[in-house]
Amino acid sequence: MADIERDRFVALAFCRADLLFELDDDHDVVFAAGATSVLLGEAAEALSGRRFVDLIAESDRGLAVEVLEAARAQGRIDDVVVRLNGTGNRRPNVALAGYRVPDFDNHFFLALKMEPALQSERLSEAELKRDGESGLLDEASYAGLAAERAQSFRRAGGRPQITMVKVESLNEMTQALGASDRKRIMGEIGDILTRHSLGGGTAGRVGDEAFSYLHRDDVDPEEVSSLISDAARKLFNTEVKPHAHTLDADGAGLAEHQVARAIAHTIRSFSEKGDHALDKKKSLAQVLSGMVSDTIDNVAYIRRMVAGRDFDMAFMPICDLRLERVSHFEALTRPRDAKAGTSPYHLFSLAEEVGIVHELDMAIVETTIQTMNSLVRERGLMPPVAINLSGQSLSNPQFVEELTRMLRRSGMPPRKLMFELTESVKVEHLPEVNAVIQDLRRLGYRFCLDDFGSGAASFDYLNGLDVDIVKFDGPVVKRASSSQKGSDLLSSMTKMCASMGIRTVAEMVEDKRMAGRVYQCGVDFGQGYYFGKPDFNPFIFADRFMGGL
């Protein structure tokens, strides 16, 4: 009877899992069931007595150990993503969940489920990029992996922390060394940080003298810094001064999945600013605490701004270059009480980093339509308006459903609205996003690909997305007006777009000479201060509205 009951529970569990494991207190397999032959290359019975962590890919093995240890106290693991040590070169990603049950000799009961989305979202070990000298992850790879592992460790009940290390005098010391000796000390620093990082691989180089690592809260950063000093002294009889500051991977007001992203945003900000981030009057701790505090404060500000619709829309004219008349406007968000020095672009980038840009985009679309309806009632007909949308939002099915529903009940004719797809973050799933764009185009809404020419991804987007308009990035336009080579390049891109039936816009057109130059290159529309600055009242341009409104 007991075997029948067990088989029944196993069968029910497969509604949620592809693999089931029972582990003893030493993390050895007591029982296994499921698609073990397919995913692990061995029959379930053959796994009994094996160390569970040996079934995990080597790159995630350290993380698996740390998660299981953290779950000893927490008792629960919620969907931690790890790679399996599959057959051949297969390293499938699975979501691991389970419990530690005191009534069963403190055994762990684990369910592992294959998730199709996970297979493309996680970078493989080969895709992670490393610094050539230290062997540590580069800034971008580290920020992404630290975000992911911080989230996983929190789900297992652990308390992840992130430490930033500034090694003063490192550049001065290494400049006096040969290439091989420089690599030795960098490699030693890399080894020390890797050994003490969460899962044994969550450490990165984020600047010339700056490093960072994610770790458990029982790791002593001062001890790690001492090891770096000792290594420099032992290898080259010289002194370096590592200054470390540790941050909890936590943040007031942020959802679980946003906490790690906020930390990743701080890492990127620190990396981008480099030594400029280090005020000589402040310690590293003060600088980093300030950066994290700014991140958390700005996320809270975005949330308040969205909830209270605490922003206004300004309208920037986009003109037909031949007629120099207003074809349409771009709606630009103007927060009412943003901190000095905080640009709308920074707020949008942060919203994308922490995964709340869909909330901001929805509020902006709704506010723009309400503003347009109010203006039309008071002043009469006006040209169409383009609204910026993040590719991240268009990748969110819930956002798309809500957007479509809101557009239908708004009463705004589709020909009066268009959407500009921004390139601030990479669009990962072009076919899915293109399907959304085509659904909206069939309803009568036009789409513009913004910032074209700003990176190699532009041509991937143009190839993968069917749009009505392409807007050339400002630097592309400036080069076209300052050199023949730049002009020839813009002409070529314009002809390419025209051959596909796509109209074109040049932004940052500052004077009449630039307007004439881009017109000669075949561009259809221009945007920039030459045609007019953004204004809350679009009707100041009414004398230049195109006919047929």
Side-chain angles (χ1 to χ4, degrees):
M1 184 66 180
D3 288 341
I4 294 174
E5 287 299 309
R6 182 167 194 161
D7 289 345
R8 178 178 292 134
F9 282 116
V10 168
L12 288 170
F14 278 119
C15 294
R16 172 64 179 85
D18 297 300
L19 297 172
L20 296 176
F21 289 95
E22 178 184 348
L23 312 182
D24 64 20
D25 200 38
D26 294 323
H27 305 161
D28 293 333
V29 176
V30 174
F31 169 81
T36 60
S37 297
V38 175
L39 296 177
L40 296 169
E42 297 187 58
E45 299 78 15
L47 299 177
S48 184
R50 294 272 299 278
R51 292 177 68 240
F52 174 73
V53 293
D54 290 340
L55 307 179
I56 305 299
E58 187 175 355
S59 59
D60 283 348
R61 207 165 284 166
L63 175 65
V65 171
E66 307 241 28
V67 163
L68 289 170
E69 287 300 320
R72 286 186 186 277
Q74 169 80 0
R76 174 176 176 148
I77 302 170
D78 289 321
D79 287 341
V80 172
V81 181
V82 293
R83 293 181 181 86
L84 290 179
N85 192 18
T87 57
N89 292 323
R90 290 193 68 209
R91 300 291 182 269
N93 291 303
V94 294
L96 184 156
Y99 296 87
R100 183 171 184 255
V101 185
D103 291 344
F104 285 86
D105 298 323
N106 285 318
H107 282 199
F108 287 89
F109 291 82
L110 305 178
L112 283 69
K113 183 173 179 62
M114 287 274 290
E115 296 283 2
L118 296 177
Q119 309 313 312
S120 59
E121 287 176 0
R122 292 190 83 205
L123 292 178
S124 68
E125 182 67 21
E127 291 173 315
L128 293 172
K129 295 181 180 178
R130 297 185 178 276
D131 169 56
E133 292 183 321
S134 65
L136 295 171
L137 297 171
D138 71 4
E139 175 268 325
S141 292
Y142 168 64
L145 188 63
E148 175 195 308
R149 288 193 167 181
Q151 181 180 354
S152 293
F153 197 56
R154 281 166 54 86
R155 284 176 173 171
R159 185 185 171 200
Q161 295 185 324
I162 195 161
T163 293
M164 307 290 276
V165 183
K166 171 74 173 176
V167 186
E168 286 188 8
S169 307
L170 182 61
N171 273 345
E172 183 181 334
M173 182 193 79
T174 56
Q175 283 172 3
L177 300 173
S180 60
D181 285 341
R182 176 182 171 87
K183 194 165 185 177
R184 280 179 69 196
I185 186 60
M186 288 296 186
E188 190 68 26
I189 292 172
D191 288 344
I192 291 168
L193 296 182
T194 296
R195 286 200 310 271
H196 291 84
S197 69
L198 188 66
T202 323
R205 186 177 182 184
V206 296
D208 283 347
E209 297 184 330
F211 305 85
S212 180
Y213 60 108
L214 182 76
H215 56 87
R216 301 188 312 270
D217 61 344
D218 59 355
V219 170
D220 183 355
E222 291 303 320
E223 182 180 323
V224 174
S225 294
S226 294
L227 291 174
I228 293 174
S229 296
D230 292 345
R233 197 178 301 114
K234 182 178 179 180
L235 286 173
F236 304 111
N237 194 29
T238 188
E239 294 291 332
V240 294
K241 300 175 182 177
H243 297 286
H245 181 59
T246 300
L247 310 162
D248 283 328
D250 204 348
L254 296 185
E256 178 204 53
H257 70 284
Q258 294 163 352
V259 171
R261 289 183 180 181
I263 295 296
H265 177 81
T266 300
I267 294 168
R268 291 190 182 98
S269 298
F270 181 79
S271 173
E272 288 167 3
K273 293 178 181 178
D275 288 340
H276 297 295
L278 298 175
D279 186 334
K280 295 186 184 302
K281 297 179 181 178
K282 294 182 179 179
S283 68
L284 177 66
Q286 290 172 315
V287 171
L288 288 170
S289 293
M291 291 176 73
V292 172
S293 177
D294 284 347
T295 297
I296 302 301
D297 287 349
N298 283 332
V299 169
Y301 170 73
I302 292 169
R303 279 263 164 82
R304 290 195 306 272
M305 183 178 74
V306 167
R309 300 298 192 264
D310 196 18
F311 57 90
D312 298 299
M313 305 311 301
F315 298 86
M316 190 170 192
I318 298 174
C319 294
D320 182 295
L321 283 170
R322 183 174 65 86
L323 302 174
E324 292 200 0
R325 301 184 75 83
V326 179
S327 163
H328 58 285
F329 289 96
E330 179 181 2
L332 301 172
T333 308
R334 294 293 182 259
R336 290 175 187 160
D337 62 347
K339 289 190 298 184
T342 302
S343 68
Y345 175 80
H346 171 79
L347 293 176
F348 273 95
S349 296
L350 178 58
E352 287 178 318
E353 289 270 8
V354 300
I356 59 173
V357 72
H358 61 284
E359 300 174 24
L360 184 55
D361 278 351
M362 185 59 65
I364 288 169
V365 174
E366 186 176 305
T367 301
T368 301
I369 291 175
Q370 290 173 351
T371 303
M372 290 174 66
N373 281 332
S374 177
L375 286 166
V376 168
R377 282 195 302 270
E378 294 174 8
R379 304 295 300 272
L381 295 176
M382 61 180 286
V385 173
I387 305 172
N388 289 295
L389 285 182
S390 167
Q392 195 177 97
S393 295
L394 290 177
S395 301
N396 182 324
Q398 187 176 354
F399 171 86
V400 173
E401 183 179 340
E402 187 178 346
L403 174 67
T404 305
R405 192 164 51 241
M406 190 261 286
L407 290 173
R408 281 178 172 150
R409 68 170 182 259
S410 71
M412 180 65 64
R415 64 185 178 83
K416 287 294 187 179
L417 287 179
M418 64 179 73
F419 297 102
E420 291 194 9
L421 180 65
T422 60
E423 264 199 61
S424 49
V425 294
K426 185 179 179 182
V427 178
E428 297 290 349
H429 306 291
L430 286 176
E432 290 86 345
V433 170
N434 191 47
V436 170
I437 290 173
Q438 301 323 305
D439 286 344
L440 290 168
R441 288 180 76 206
R442 279 189 284 273
L443 294 175
Y445 300 99
R446 287 174 290 168
F447 266 82
C448 172
L449 183 58
D450 198 7
D451 300 324
F452 189 81
S454 60
S458 293
F459 291 94
D460 291 336
Y461 292 169
L462 188 60
N463 184 53
L465 304 174
D466 298 315
V467 297
D468 304 283
I469 300 171
V470 159
K471 181 184 286 188
F472 295 116
D473 194 39
V476 173
V477 175
K478 287 194 171 185
R479 285 193 292 271
S481 66
S482 61
S483 72
Q484 186 60 47
K485 184 176 181 180
S487 181
D488 291 343
L489 180 61
L490 181 59
S491 295
S492 297
M493 290 192 290
T494 302
K495 289 174 184 174
M496 175 183 65
C497 290
S499 70
M500 294 185 284
I502 297 172
R503 307 201 76 184
T504 51
V505 178
E507 65 178 10
M508 293 181 68
V509 177
E510 308 298 338
D511 53 42
K512 187 171 184 177
R513 185 185 66 82
M514 287 183 71
R517 192 67 175 266
V518 296
Y519 177 62
Q520 290 172 357
C521 291
V523 178
D524 298 299
F525 305 104
Q527 177 180 7
Y529 283 1
Y530 173 64
F531 299 107
K533 296 181 180 181
D535 199 282
F536 296 117
N537 176 18
F539 282 88
I540 66 169
F541 305 104
D543 61 333
R544 289 191 283 141
F545 284 179
M546 295 274 281
L549 297 178

